[in-house]
Amino acid sequence: DAGSSVEEMEFNWDEYLEDTGATAAPHGSFKHVDTSLQNGFAPGMKLEVAVKSDQNTYWVATIITTCGQLLLLRYDGYGEDRKADFWCDILTADLHPIGWCQQNKKILKVPEGIKDKIPDQEEFLQRVLKGACSAPANLLEGLHRGKNPLDLIAPGSRLELQNIRDSLEAWIVTVVENVGGRLKLRYEGLEDLDKFDQWLFYLDPFLHQVGWAAQHGYSLQPPLAIRSLRSEADWQEILKKVKEEEEESSVPTDLFKDKPVIGVHSFSEGMKLEAVDPMAPFVISPATVLKVYNDKYFMIEIDDLRAERASSQRYVCHVNSAGIFPVQWSLKNGLHLSPPPGYPGQDFDWADYLKQCGAEAAPQSCFPLLTSDHGFKENMKLEAVNPVDPEEVCIATVTKLRDSYLWLQLEGSKQPVPECIVSVESMNIFPVGWCETNGYQLRPPRKAIVNKQKKIAVVQPEKQILSSRTVHDGLKNQELNSSDSVVINGKYCCPKIYFNHRCFSGPYLNKGRIAELPQSVGPGNCVLVLKEVLTLLINAAYKPSRVLRELQLDEEAAWHGHGETLKAKYKGKSYRATVEVVRTADRVADFCRKTCIKLECCPNLFGPQMVLDKCSENCSVLTKTKYTHYYGKRKNKRIGRPPGGHSNLEVAMKKPNKRRKRRKHFFVHKKKRSSTSVDNTPAGSPQGSGAEEEDDQDESELSHSLAQDRDKRKRKLRTFSFSDDENKPPSPKDIKMEVAEKLQLDSNPLEWSVADVVRFLKSTDCAPLARIFLDQEIDGQALLLLTLPTVQECMDLKLGPAIKLCHHIERVKLAFYQQFAN
């Protein structure tokens, strides 16, 4: 017995979204996250790069796209030809700014592949370098080389933070932690006292580099909340020490170049408005402009009419501060305005209130125009900071939208929190998967927490069943070896994927729906970004199920990527299939191009390169018929079967007046599903006269395919004999093997379906447990990954039954090694 502890099951966003029937907010809606991933390089910049075939010579190359510390380059002279594009790592590649070869007496020489295209090297260089933008030298040399600027804000770095509660003064803060640009800050002088720590995103308008206050005429003073903790002499000594160590702890000034610019406001003291307190963003209340500091900053106070009030809610704002609205904004948007404490009666009326206070309303011209073009929709999921406890990042659901504001319901917080009101540009909201990508704990839904104390038996380590390469969807969140994946600082490795709306959309995709897609998705984790891109394409199809069928993984082909389950809905049916996506940045461009060709659209329709003017494929002159012929993709396919004579696409009819059965477990590993039905209706416009008949053919084919599979399984697993009644354990006389007998398998367990696993268990003395395997959809690959602790945790079994079950699993593993491992 290794002791006991309170444990939590691992949260999985994919399972959770499927269980709740929700969608994730698009990555492109979180502009601050997008900005944080930029590395200082930009498409179009030029460098001098060592030629691979001759390392002693160099040639000019242009950056096509960036991805963390990776750059996709193209030697100048290839024009629009992408065949010779190559990825290189800033840290290890021989890269230099324009002019470096001349300064260091190195040779600039045209690569062999384009020698015949450039007869006059000098004339060519003069032409392409005229007005060109060179990659910054400081990003290619020295300590900053290859680093995301964000990573330069390390623990111990110092910044200046304006105090928004008391006054416009600022004080020094030290970075305690940097989580993807979200900084945990501690006031200088408090040492290990974390009571007053603050979490802010590095682009927050009130956060600055050291020296900002002096440059702009503001004083450095500790906030009133901490001023009494030390004497004035102590604070001055701390300030002196900080100035002496300024060079060691400072961060690069250009890190803040992407911060929002604070504009000029036109508010006056005494004006009334509606406001949301940023420290408690749960209600909209009447508020007053209490003080105007200058043309950029002013202080507002939430109105409180009580004579005995102990404190006030006041904070510094600027013209673009979130949560300030003109009078009557709540009424116009059908929202509740919370009357000031002490206001007589419940029906608040702005006209009476302004007359009673002798005040004027701030005019509409004081407020910036609000936009509704943001990509968020009701019921979307995202990750959001808990305003009551900023240490917590919780799952959040969009419950309501008004202009550019969201109402979020947080799940899993330690203490229940009311709905929060946040701007769509808030830096306290993040896309799905942000916490996992940055190694931060996301608060899971409360129902997911297991508070049982479990005994874990100590057993001998078992043999490594499978290689470190992911062979199953169940391992998709497992960290991969460097040989399997290119990981950038353990984080992002996929460039931004652009939808080039002008390109030819082909016979499968609806041009109108393609035009409604966002301009881009990402950057981010390769698997997550590409999965989002494919989901958007499926939903933009005339027949989503047909596009899903075209994209599904061909199990007979070489599998070089990562299997992801995607879904489609069409004519009352739900479809799902395993689709292959790549996991590394160097293969993204090729993956996008091949997927476009598979869907018979322009190879540039989506990918890491934006088509600015004219498509290099000249796709605008092609009709659907010509384009299909041009790429020669049309093949005669059997109805109901995908290419290769197989399918992993499964279909489920929606039953009327019956709620979808929720899956009980979204905290177990993902399953690789295999069924045999597909939608094989013709591609193109949905206005076809034979569409319904084709659907009927699919249903007929489905029944036929299932019958064939049943017969096949019976032949394949004839060693096992068991009762057909799945609730009735088999009688001992039906079992063809003894428990202690060496197991001889007729088929590879890696190929077993869920039904095959259930058949095997029913042939053992663990037959009553077969129902659990059926409910949790554990197939052969998942079976081989089970261990004693996993069985205890996921199946909630006591130690005795768990050991007995694992005994049979070990027999299968042993037989697998002896019969099929080679």
Side-chain angles (χ1 to χ4, degrees):
D1 189 346
S4 58
S5 62
V6 177
E7 300 180 355
E8 289 187 6
M9 288 184 178
E10 183 181 352
F11 175 75
N12 183 296
W13 259 115
D14 285 337
E15 295 286 348
Y16 180 69
L17 289 173
E18 183 173 345
D19 184 79
T20 56
T23 57
H27 279 70
S29 296
F30 303 88
K31 294 181 177 60
H32 61 297
V33 176
D34 195 359
T35 301
S36 71
L37 299 175
Q38 296 173 6
N39 60 6
F41 295 95
M45 287 181 176
K46 294 187 182 295
L47 314 93
E48 293 177 355
V49 186
V51 177
K52 290 184 179 180
S53 57
D54 184 357
Q55 292 294 322
N56 294 320
T57 65
Y58 296 80
W59 189 242
V60 176
T62 301
I63 297 175
I64 303 301
T65 192
T66 68
C67 176
Q69 69 193 47
L70 295 182
L71 301 177
L72 182 64
L73 302 177
R74 182 183 303 162
Y75 286 121
D76 281 17
Y78 276 96
E80 295 296 319
D81 186 358
R82 308 165 91 182
K83 293 177 184 176
D85 290 3
F86 59 98
W87 287 96
C88 65
D89 189 324
I90 303 166
L91 286 174
T92 58
D94 196 358
L95 308 173
H96 305 280
I98 296 298
W100 180 87
C101 284
Q102 186 177 1
Q103 294 170 8
N104 292 273
K105 295 182 171 54
K106 298 291 182 181
I107 302 170
L108 273 174
K109 184 180 178 182
V110 183
E112 289 294 329
I114 50 174
K115 224 171 187 178
D116 57 336
K117 297 182 180 180
I118 305 175
D120 187 338
Q121 177 176 313
E122 293 301 321
E123 184 274 333
F124 176 82
L125 286 176
Q126 285 182 3
R127 179 161 44 87
V128 299
L129 294 179
K130 186 178 180 180
C133 177
S134 172
N138 67 307
L139 297 178
L140 295 168
E141 302 163 358
L143 295 175
H144 295 175
R145 178 172 177 169
K147 285 191 176 180
N148 185 319
L150 187 59
D151 295 329
L152 300 176
I153 310 179
S157 299
R158 289 193 177 110
L159 299 163
E160 289 181 2
L161 175 63
Q162 289 176 257
N163 180 9
I164 69 167
R165 275 300 192 190
D166 301 323
S167 68
L168 205 56
E169 297 166 336
W171 187 241
I172 310 294
V173 288
T174 301
V175 177
V176 178
E177 194 176 352
N178 179 354
V179 181
R182 189 167 181 257
L183 309 179
K184 185 177 184 180
L185 304 169
R186 184 165 298 165
Y187 286 115
E188 192 68 33
L190 297 191
E191 297 172 346
D192 296 330
L193 183 62
D194 61 0
K195 179 181 177 183
F196 299 96
D197 286 358
Q198 296 193 47
W199 282 93
L200 287 176
F201 203 74
Y202 81 104
L203 295 172
D204 190 285
F206 288 95
L207 194 60
H208 313 278
Q209 70 271 21
V210 172
W212 175 87
Q215 291 171 10
H216 293 81
Y218 301 116
S219 62
L220 279 174
Q221 288 287 342
L224 285 175
I226 67 169
R227 199 171 295 177
S228 61
L229 299 177
R230 290 182 178 271
S231 67
E232 183 61 29
D234 287 341
W235 289 121
Q236 291 304 315
E237 187 63 31
I238 290 166
L239 197 54
K240 181 181 176 183
K241 181 185 175 186
V242 168
K243 289 181 178 178
E244 290 173 354
E245 300 173 353
E246 187 173 328
E247 283 192 16
E248 299 173 16
S249 60
S250 63
V251 297
T253 305
D254 61 353
L255 191 67
F256 299 97
K257 69 182 187 313
D258 296 315
K259 276 177 53 174
V261 177
I262 295 177
V264 175
H265 74 81
S266 54
F267 287 93
S268 302
E269 289 184 11
M271 283 182 174
K272 295 286 184 182
L273 65 156
E274 297 181 1
V276 175
D277 184 351
M279 303 300 177
F282 310 121
V283 296
I284 304 173
S285 308
T288 306
V289 177
L290 192 65
K291 185 176 182 180
V292 173
Y293 292 100
N294 50 35
D295 62 355
K296 288 191 175 181
Y297 299 105
F298 56 95
M299 177 176 278
I300 72 167
E301 182 179 51
I302 303 297
D303 287 0
D304 189 336
L305 305 180
R306 295 173 298 182
E308 71 283 0
R309 62 175 178 169
S311 61
S312 61
Q313 295 169 277
R314 57 177 65 174
Y315 50 96
V316 178
C317 291
H318 52 84
V319 68
N320 291 318
S321 287
I324 56 174
F325 313 99
V327 162
Q328 304 287 13
W329 186 81
S330 297
L331 182 65
K332 290 176 183 176
N333 285 277
L335 301 168
H336 174 69
L337 181 70
S338 182
Y343 181 80
Q346 291 299 313
D347 297 327
F348 181 83
D349 182 81
W350 261 116
D352 290 343
Y353 185 62
L354 289 172
K355 188 175 180 181
Q356 176 188 334
C357 298
E360 63 170 328
Q364 179 72 49
S365 59
C366 289
F367 301 88
L369 294 175
L370 299 179
T371 175
S372 56
D373 182 23
H374 45 66
F376 290 101
K377 294 179 181 177
E378 285 188 12
N379 298 319
M380 279 184 170
K381 301 284 185 181
L382 56 142
E383 298 176 3
V385 174
N386 181 353
V388 176
D389 182 2
E391 288 272 351
E392 289 186 355
V393 179
C394 304
I395 293 169
T397 305
V398 179
T399 59
K400 188 161 47 185
L401 293 111
R402 294 294 185 275
D403 288 330
S404 55
Y405 285 84
L406 310 175
W407 274 250
L408 300 178
Q409 182 63 58
L410 304 186
E411 301 178 39
S413 56
K414 292 175 185 175
Q415 300 296 328
V417 180
E419 284 188 349
C420 309
I421 306 169
V422 300
S423 164
V424 295
E425 296 181 351
S426 168
M427 297 182 193
N428 283 328
I429 58 175
F430 304 95
V432 160
W434 184 87
C435 279
E436 181 185 358
T437 300
N438 289 283
Y440 195 77
Q441 176 61 52
L442 174 70
R443 293 291 303 176
R446 193 164 282 105
K447 65 180 179 180
I449 298 177
V450 178
N451 289 319
K452 296 180 181 178
Q453 291 189 339
K454 297 180 181 295
K455 291 184 177 180
I456 306 296
V458 178
V459 294
Q460 288 296 108
E462 56 187 16
K463 294 180 181 178
Q464 181 71 19
I465 305 171
L466 305 169
S467 68
S468 61
R469 179 174 296 279
T470 303
V471 297
H472 190 255
D473 289 350
L475 292 178
K476 80 181 188 72
N477 291 319
Q478 180 174 312
E479 187 177 342
L480 301 170
N481 290 340
S482 58
S483 60
D484 295 328
S485 179
V486 179
V487 179
I488 309 304
N489 296 329
K491 300 177 184 177
Y492 295 93
C493 59
C494 184
K496 187 180 289 187
I497 304 297
Y498 295 96
F499 289 105
N500 296 308
H501 301 123
R502 296 180 182 179
C503 290
F504 182 74
S505 58
Y508 296 117
L509 303 175
N510 185 315
K511 182 72 174 177
R513 293 176 191 167
I514 289 290
E516 295 173 358
L517 295 181
Q519 185 180 17
S520 64
V521 173
N525 175 282
C526 267
V527 173
L528 295 178
V529 170
L530 292 176
K531 183 176 179 182
E532 182 175 344
V533 167
L534 295 180
T535 299
L536 288 171
L537 286 173
I538 290 168
N539 293 334
Y542 289 114
K543 298 182 179 179
S545 52
R546 178 61 189 269
V547 169
L548 184 61
R549 174 186 180 273
E550 293 297 323
L551 295 175
Q552 67 179 323
L553 178 64
D554 187 344
E555 293 178 1
E556 292 183 2
W559 188 16
H560 302 295
H562 184 93
E564 276 293 314
T565 300
L566 297 184
K567 296 176 290 185
K569 291 184 179 179
Y570 182 62
K571 289 193 175 180
K573 302 175 189 176
S574 294
Y575 301 83
R576 73 174 71 235
T578 302
V579 174
E580 180 182 13
V581 295
V582 296
R583 297 175 296 185
T584 59
D586 57 326
R587 299 178 57 209
V588 167
D590 185 57
F591 170 82
C592 292
R593 189 173 180 85
K594 287 181 178 176
T595 303
C596 287
I597 293 173
K598 189 183 291 186
L599 295 179
E600 301 180 27
C601 56
C602 173
N604 293 334
L605 180 66
F606 68 93
Q609 185 174 17
M610 183 190 295
V611 175
L612 296 175
D613 186 20
K614 188 176 180 182
C615 174
S616 60
E617 297 288 332
N618 199 26
C619 64
S620 60
V621 303
L622 297 169
T623 64
K624 290 186 179 181
T625 306
K626 287 180 181 177
Y627 203 82
T628 304
H629 176 73
Y630 174 68
Y631 276 97
K633 186 181 179 295
R634 282 280 180 217
K635 297 185 183 80
N636 292 323
K637 299 175 183 176
R638 290 174 54 200
I639 293 202
R641 287 286 180 188
H646 79 282
S647 174
N648 58 18
L649 188 66
E650 71 177 26
V651 60
M653 286 293 292
K654 280 189 178 178
K655 296 181 180 179
N657 302 323
K658 184 175 181 180
R659 293 180 62 190
R660 181 173 70 92
K661 181 181 178 183
R662 286 179 177 251
R663 286 176 26 185
K664 297 178 181 177
H665 305 279
F666 50 81
F667 282 77
V668 296
H669 64 268
K670 286 185 72 67
K671 284 72 63 178
K672 189 174 183 181
R673 299 173 173 85
S674 59
S675 183
T676 51
S677 169
V678 296
D679 170 19
N680 201 26
T681 51
S685 172
Q687 288 88 14
S689 59
E692 295 300 328
E693 289 81 351
E694 286 162 359
D695 284 340
D696 292 339
Q697 278 185 305
D698 280 349
E699 291 302 310
S700 173
E701 181 65 23
L702 168 63
S703 302
H704 178 64
S705 298
L706 291 176
Q708 281 186 328
D709 269 15
R710 279 197 298 270
D711 294 340
K712 183 179 177 182
R713 287 197 188 110
K714 286 179 182 178
R715 292 194 300 273
K716 210 172 176 186
L717 296 169
R718 58 186 178 278
T719 307
F720 303 140
S721 177
F722 53 90
S723 168
D724 286 332
D725 183 355
E726 61 181 21
N727 294 316
K728 177 183 174 185
S731 59
K733 66 180 180 181
D734 289 333
I735 299 175
K736 301 298 183 184
M737 64 184 82
E738 294 294 328
V739 171
E741 183 185 344
K742 181 179 175 182
L743 189 61
Q744 191 69 26
L745 301 176
D746 276 12
S747 61
N748 190 335
L750 283 176
E751 299 173 357
W752 285 6
S753 65
V754 175
D756 296 334
V757 172
V758 170
R759 286 182 174 86
F760 167 70
L761 285 174
K762 287 188 173 182
S763 68
T764 71
D765 56 353
C766 288
L769 302 179
R771 167 57 68 181
I772 300 176
F773 282 70
L774 186 63
D775 288 343
Q776 297 202 18
E777 300 182 54
I778 296 175
D779 61 11
Q781 294 184 14
L783 180 75
L784 292 177
L785 294 172
L786 291 178
T787 60
L788 183 57
T790 309
V791 164
Q792 282 185 275
E793 183 177 351
C794 294
M795 299 184 181
D796 202 19
L797 296 179
K798 293 182 179 178
L799 188 57
I803 290 176
K804 186 185 291 187
L805 174 61
C806 285
H807 171 68
H808 293 294
I809 295 172
E810 289 300 317
R811 294 173 66 228
V812 175
K813 291 177 183 178
L814 182 61
F816 166 71
Y817 280 127
Q818 293 174 339
Q819 294 179 240
F820 302 101
N822 294 326

